[in-house]
Amino acid sequence: MTEVLAIGSFSDVDAAALRDDLGARIVDSLDSAAALHEETRATVRAIAFKGHATFDGALMDLFPALGLIANYGVGYDAIKVADAQTRSVAVTNTPDVLNDDVADLAVGMLIAQCRRMVQGDDHARSGAWADGQEFPLNRKMSGGRVGILGLGRIGREIADRLAAFKMELHYWSRGEKQTPGWTYHDDPVALANAVDYLVVALVGGPETEGMVSAEVLDALGENGVLVNISRGSTVDEVALIDRLEDGRLAGAALDVFRSEPGIDPRFAALDNVVLQPHQGSGTHVTRAAMGQLQRDNIAVFMAGRPLLTQVA
Amino acid sequence: MTEVLAIGSFSDVDAAALRDDLGARIVDSLDSAAALHEETRATVRAIAFKGHATFDGALMDLFPALGLIANYGVGYDAIKVADAQTRSVAVTNTPDVLNDDVADLAVGMLIAQCRRMVQGDDHARSGAWADGQEFPLNRKMSGGRVGILGLGRIGREIADRLAAFKMELHYWSRGEKQTPGWTYHDDPVALANAVDYLVVALVGGPETEGMVSAEVLDALGENGVLVNISRGSTVDEVALIDRLEDGRLAGAALDVFRSEPGIDPRFAALDNVVLQPHQGSGTHVTRAAMGQLQRDNIAVFMAGRPLLTQVA
């Protein structure tokens, strides 16, 4: 009897723990889950979910005994939470354990964009430097003006780090927050107008869809650099690429994309962007902690105890 | 009459300012300077120097009226200071204006090494990600133990930044310093033993030659990462490469090398290093400030006023 179903591409370590600790059956996709025999689906009480495909009410209805979807990752925008709520299905995520890694990568991407570090590595490695070619001067980051779009837990970690680079901190959030003197802006365009660097740390989902609009990018302007470690959905990507190509925006550093992993091929031709393969939380330590927290939520649910990190 | 001689490869902006503001004659190298006519050399009172070739007493003797060598850069190890002192030639450098940039690059290099950002950019850009290839998990930096070898002005800037990444700070310096609770070690091997990441921020020159020895690298160990933004001379480079090749050291991030720009070709084959073409201070803003400070030292010298940043 399958009480716990795991859906997605899990690491060997996580897959073994799902089987050993929770007796989980593992399938690779929502389609495979939907194709399970009706009798198998009928007994599933908890689903460990990993992925970005949409998990909606029609799929939930295939599991009549379902009480929990435990998401792997802090962003749970793939799961239709309203659908879950009407079906009394709880949803958990894996917050906080990944904040440091995502913030580290955001800062590293901003430095790499300003200092052209990917090009620098190639200059040294290819022999261009040894051949006497000059590496062009680039851009000072410390002391600049930076805006954090979305001052949640990850945004705060990014801001704390950038403050140590003597940067002038600005932010937008759904409401003003207690900060050490950072400047609040009540709309994203005003924020973009005030800064040289804009770091997107929003949640995903319909509320933030396209929030980094053409207007925001134009406010950021020709000296502006966009950093996105949140979700590709937050950015008008066509407007972004247009501006990166023609110089209306100075540069970008992106860990997330609209159509990842099949990213727009125009990105690959740009010299003023740092690209990363959605690896914000991609360290051994953090991915292990995320898997553990996902399983812990399922374990307490099965034991009838309170969920650890419930989002709906 | 040439009273100010500029030696080195100056930017167009700096070259124009040297000529316009100081009436300088510019030559490309110490060899070219030595080859100037004796009558020209006889009138030179100040030299604006940019480069890493050795400027010793024999060369100074070619300029009998010389009173100042104004170095471009904070590191003046190419200038034989003892030789200058016995000839009553003052030496200035360009400190502080470059601290932020060098510290930014050091932090960026450490993040890039841990998170394999150069490989990440290639994974996204090459289409490997789109083709469904997994990007391997990597290493969490925040919260790690970091040692700063040389807690001067640049080392302090690096430490202040890394403290915001919740890192446990250790350092070696010629003496213990006032710090916010960082741990002092009285020898480099003890420092390397205590940390996962070792950032070299030493001055160059004979005192620090090979200070990052095979013994220090072995103390850093197979989980250790070396970052060097100081001078290639501080590291036993053969010992370093041997250990990077066979896994006795986890990785390195290097902006400086023994034989730069003609770096050891073994570096280019390593996947566990981030290489940069000695661009620590390489931003438009900072290089302009360095050029200005070099010229300002010459201007006050020619006016008989006190030097701004005299090192000897």
Side-chain angles (χ1 to χ4, degrees):
Chain A
M1 192 170 78
T2 300
E3 290 194 308
V4 178
L5 178 66
I7 303 173
S9 175
F10 292 90
S11 72
D12 292 346
V13 172
D14 282 335
L18 283 162
R19 285 193 197 93
D20 296 348
D21 302 349
L22 300 171
R25 174 165 181 167
I26 304 177
V27 295
D28 64 353
S29 67
L30 286 167
D31 288 344
S32 303
L36 289 170
H37 194 282
E38 187 176 357
E39 282 176 27
T40 303
R41 286 189 273 105
T43 60
V44 170
R45 295 176 55 206
I47 289 177
F49 182 63
K50 183 179 183 183
H52 300 287
T54 301
F55 197 158
D56 62 12
L59 279 160
M60 295 172 199
D61 288 338
L62 298 175
F63 304 92
L66 186 64
L68 171 68
I69 302 173
N71 188 59
Y72 179 95
V74 63
Y76 53 91
D77 42 302
I79 301 165
K80 295 297 172 197
V81 167
D83 291 358
Q85 284 174 322
T86 60
R87 287 160 180 81
S88 297
V89 173
V91 178
T92 59
N93 67 343
T94 61
D96 295 331
V97 292
L98 48 60
N99 297 355
D100 280 335
D101 274 347
V102 176
D104 287 359
L105 191 72
V107 175
M109 284 165 60
L110 182 53
I111 300 173
Q113 204 287 328
C114 288
R115 303 304 300 274
R116 296 178 61 79
M117 288 179 60
V118 174
Q119 291 90 341
D121 186 87
D122 182 64
H123 195 79
R125 202 176 281 272
S126 68
W129 190 28
D131 289 344
Q133 291 179 41
E134 291 267 329
F135 187 65
L137 298 185
N138 42 59
R139 178 169 175 155
K140 179 172 180 172
M141 188 192 85
S142 271
R145 300 173 306 161
V146 64
I148 311 294
L149 188 63
L151 199 68
R153 286 171 290 205
I154 292 175
R156 176 71 69 142
E157 291 290 340
I158 296 169
D160 284 342
R161 284 162 174 74
L162 292 178
F165 293 77
K166 308 170 188 171
M167 300 186 85
E168 185 184 302
L169 263 292
H170 298 252
Y171 72 100
W172 172 90
S173 199
R174 274 164 295 184
E176 195 165 354
K177 306 221 172 180
Q178 288 281 355
T179 68
W182 307 340
T183 304
Y184 174 66
H185 298 266
D186 64 5
D187 99 287
V189 173
L191 176 66
N193 254 318
V195 300
D196 308 303
Y197 308 105
L198 184 64
V199 182
V200 187
L202 296 165
V203 296
E207 289 165 65
T208 59
E209 162 67 37
M211 188 180 277
V212 182
S213 60
E215 195 185 0
V216 168
L217 296 171
D218 288 338
L220 192 54
E222 64 185 13
N223 291 314
V225 174
L226 182 75
V227 178
N228 191 6
I229 48 75
S230 63
R231 283 287 186 264
S233 62
T234 63
V235 176
D236 180 339
E237 210 171 70
V238 172
L240 173 64
I241 298 176
D242 285 348
R243 281 157 183 75
L244 289 167
E245 284 183 344
D246 68 16
R248 278 177 288 165
L249 198 67
L254 306 168
D255 188 42
V256 289
F257 304 84
R258 285 257 167 196
S259 56
E260 61 186 57
I263 65 174
D264 191 313
R266 291 165 69 195
F267 279 122
L270 289 167
D271 183 53
N272 54 352
V273 297
V274 173
L275 306 177
Q276 294 290 300
H278 199 154
Q279 66 135 329
S281 64
T283 69
H284 293 285
V285 166
T286 293
R287 288 287 172 88
M290 290 164 63
Q292 189 65 53
L293 183 51
Q294 180 184 41
R295 294 191 298 277
D296 287 349
N297 270 298
I298 293 174
V300 296
F301 172 80
M302 299 301 284
R305 300 204 306 272
L307 295 168
L308 304 174
T309 50
Q310 184 169 7
V311 291
Chain B
M1 190 169 82
T2 301
E3 290 194 308
V4 178
L5 179 65
I7 302 173
S9 176
F10 292 89
S11 72
D12 291 346
V13 172
D14 281 336
L18 283 162
R19 286 194 197 94
D20 297 349
D21 302 349
L22 300 172
R25 177 165 179 167
I26 304 177
V27 296
D28 64 353
S29 67
L30 285 167
D31 288 344
S32 303
L36 289 170
H37 194 281
E38 187 176 357
E39 283 176 25
T40 303
R41 288 189 273 104
T43 60
V44 170
R45 296 176 55 207
I47 288 177
F49 181 64
K50 182 178 182 183
H52 299 287
T54 302
F55 197 157
D56 63 11
L59 279 160
M60 295 173 200
D61 288 338
L62 298 176
F63 303 93
L66 187 64
L68 172 68
I69 301 173
N71 188 58
Y72 179 96
V74 65
Y76 52 91
D77 41 303
I79 301 164
K80 295 297 171 197
V81 167
D83 291 358
Q85 284 174 321
T86 59
R87 288 161 180 79
S88 296
V89 174
V91 178
T92 59
N93 68 343
T94 61
D96 295 329
V97 292
L98 46 62
N99 297 354
D100 280 334
D101 274 347
V102 176
D104 288 359
L105 191 73
V107 175
M109 284 164 60
L110 181 54
I111 301 173
Q113 204 287 330
C114 288
R115 303 305 300 275
R116 295 178 60 80
M117 288 179 61
V118 174
Q119 292 90 341
D121 186 88
D122 182 63
H123 195 79
R125 203 176 281 271
S126 67
W129 190 28
D131 289 345
Q133 292 179 42
E134 292 268 328
F135 187 65
L137 298 184
N138 43 58
R139 177 169 176 157
K140 179 171 180 172
M141 187 192 87
S142 271
R145 300 173 305 162
V146 63
I148 312 292
L149 188 63
L151 200 69
R153 286 170 292 205
I154 291 175
R156 175 71 69 143
E157 290 290 340
I158 296 168
D160 285 341
R161 284 162 175 74
L162 292 178
F165 292 77
K166 308 169 188 174
M167 300 186 85
E168 184 184 303
L169 264 292
H170 298 251
Y171 72 100
W172 172 91
S173 199
R174 275 163 295 183
E176 195 164 354
K177 307 222 173 180
Q178 287 281 352
T179 68
W182 306 341
T183 304
Y184 175 67
H185 298 264
D186 65 5
D187 98 285
V189 173
L191 177 67
N193 254 319
V195 301
D196 308 304
Y197 309 105
L198 184 65
V199 183
V200 188
L202 296 165
V203 297
E207 290 164 66
T208 60
E209 162 68 35
M211 186 180 278
V212 182
S213 60
E215 194 186 0
V216 168
L217 295 171
D218 288 338
L220 192 55
E222 64 186 11
N223 290 314
V225 174
L226 181 76
V227 178
N228 191 6
I229 48 76
S230 63
R231 284 286 186 265
S233 62
T234 62
V235 176
D236 181 339
E237 211 170 68
V238 172
L240 173 65
I241 298 176
D242 285 349
R243 282 156 182 76
L244 289 167
E245 284 183 344
D246 67 16
R248 279 177 286 166
L249 198 68
L254 307 168
D255 188 42
V256 290
F257 303 84
R258 286 256 166 196
S259 56
E260 62 186 56
I263 65 175
D264 192 313
R266 291 165 69 194
F267 279 121
L270 289 167
D271 184 52
N272 53 353
V273 298
V274 174
L275 306 177
Q276 294 290 300
H278 199 155
Q279 66 134 329
S281 65
T283 69
H284 292 286
V285 166
T286 293
R287 289 286 170 89
M290 289 164 63
Q292 189 65 55
L293 184 51
Q294 180 183 42
R295 294 191 297 277
D296 287 349
N297 271 300
I298 294 175
V300 297
F301 173 79
M302 299 301 284
R305 300 204 307 273
L307 294 168
L308 304 173
T309 50
Q310 185 170 5
V311 290

